[in-house]
Amino acid sequence: QVQLQESGPGLVKPSETLSLTCTVSGGSVSNSNFYWSWIRQPPGKGLEWIGYIDYSGSTSNNPSLKSRVTISLDTSKKQFSLKLSSVTAADTAVYYCARRGIVCSNTSCYPGWFDPWGQGTLVTVSS
Amino acid sequence: QSVLTQPPSVPGAPGQRVTISCTGSSSNIGAGYDVHWYEQVPGTAPKLLIYGNTNRPSGVPDRFSGSKSGTSASLAISGLQAEDEADYYCQSYDSSLSGVVFGGGTKLTVL
């Protein structure tokens, strides 16, 4: 079955760029039925959707993060990546990658559920 | 504040049935968008529990069930077991925000 694994630095300095990679195994990242997503969870708090990318490279990001988010896809390596610029302590969180499905009705399609998820990686923003 | 509202905590005794609510608005649940539920044991990644309002993935016990009505959805857990103690999150789509939204999470405590 499909498995996802996050990797990247666990410590980032304020004002710098957080960079994480998610490696997908057991399946293709070129499947048009799925979107490859990033979600984060600050310590002791709830889940926050960051953004996602589809097989063609089209992306959608959480407006609350404005233009700080860049998500890219490397189909040859079966990896997708997250870059979050100008980080502050508020960006300290466990970052998860996940596969997101699509729900389609008679008239339109919209984001579905997240499954599976990676194990998550804690990124701390501190000098 | 989360777009979807959940009670912060819900207690239950072993064997009991509990429900966790998820209240949205006319731009998300009320607009007809599906609700999905996740279980998160502390220190681990969330796990899909219910998708498409009422459907259970393979391997999820039928003690877990989901429902949706109007601008709200609910997760019910019957025959409560100690292993059900976890945080539960609802998720949907919001057309006003053009994005995925999560509830704030509910901590289920098995007494």
Side-chain angles (χ1 to χ4, degrees):
Chain A
Q1 76 257 20
V2 174
Q3 293 183 311
L4 289 78
Q5 177 69 58
E6 306 88 352
S7 59
L11 181 64
V12 181
K13 290 183 169 53
S15 80
E16 295 190 344
T17 296
L18 177 160
S19 296
L20 295 174
T21 296
C22 182
T23 301
V24 179
S25 60
S28 170
V29 298
S30 301
N31 190 319
S32 61
N33 292 319
F34 299 114
Y35 285 62
W36 304 98
S37 312
W38 290 97
I39 297 156
R40 70 180 182 179
Q41 184 173 35
K45 296 188 178 181
L47 301 168
E48 179 183 30
W49 164 64
I50 298 172
Y52 38 72
I53 187 167
D54 75 4
Y55 71 101
S56 70
S58 177
T59 61
S60 178
N61 301 331
N62 189 327
S64 71
L65 295 171
K66 298 182 182 178
S67 57
R68 296 198 296 135
V69 173
T70 302
I71 298 176
S72 58
L73 179 68
D74 187 332
T75 55
S76 65
K77 293 182 178 179
K78 296 177 67 176
Q79 293 178 334
F80 60 104
S81 299
L82 168 70
K83 291 189 186 300
L84 180 65
S85 63
S86 305
V87 297
T88 69
D91 295 309
T92 293
V94 175
Y95 285 76
Y96 296 101
C97 59
R99 185 182 70 176
R100 196 214 81 201
I102 303 171
V103 176
C104 292
S105 63
N106 291 337
T107 56
S108 64
C109 294
Y110 59 90
W113 58 91
F114 296 96
D115 181 61
W117 297 57
Q119 65 183 33
T121 186
L122 174 63
V123 179
T124 302
V125 178
S126 175
S127 55
Chain B
Q1 311 298 45
S2 301
V3 173
L4 304 179
T5 301
Q6 297 180 234
S9 62
V10 167
Q16 195 178 20
R17 180 180 186 270
V18 297
T19 61
I20 297 173
S21 61
C22 175
T23 302
S25 66
S26 58
S27 60
N28 41 68
I29 300 175
Y33 296 110
D34 283 354
V35 177
H36 321 293
W37 291 90
Y38 304 87
E39 175 187 68
Q40 185 179 35
V41 174
T44 69
K47 178 189 109 175
L48 181 66
L49 201 60
I50 297 287
Y51 67 94
N53 305 315
T54 61
N55 304 293
R56 286 186 309 275
S58 173
V60 174
D62 59 7
R63 301 187 295 107
F64 295 88
S65 62
S67 63
K68 177 185 142 181
S69 178
T71 58
S72 295
S74 291
L75 172 70
I77 309 172
S78 60
L80 206 56
Q81 300 178 3
E83 66 198 49
D84 298 331
E85 189 160 283
D87 296 321
Y88 293 84
Y89 293 90
C90 60
Q91 176 239 316
S92 187
Y93 175 77
D94 191 287
S95 57
S96 294
L97 299 174
S98 296
V100 167
V101 289
F102 286 98
T106 298
K107 182 176 182 59
L108 171 63
T109 301
V110 180
L111 304 171

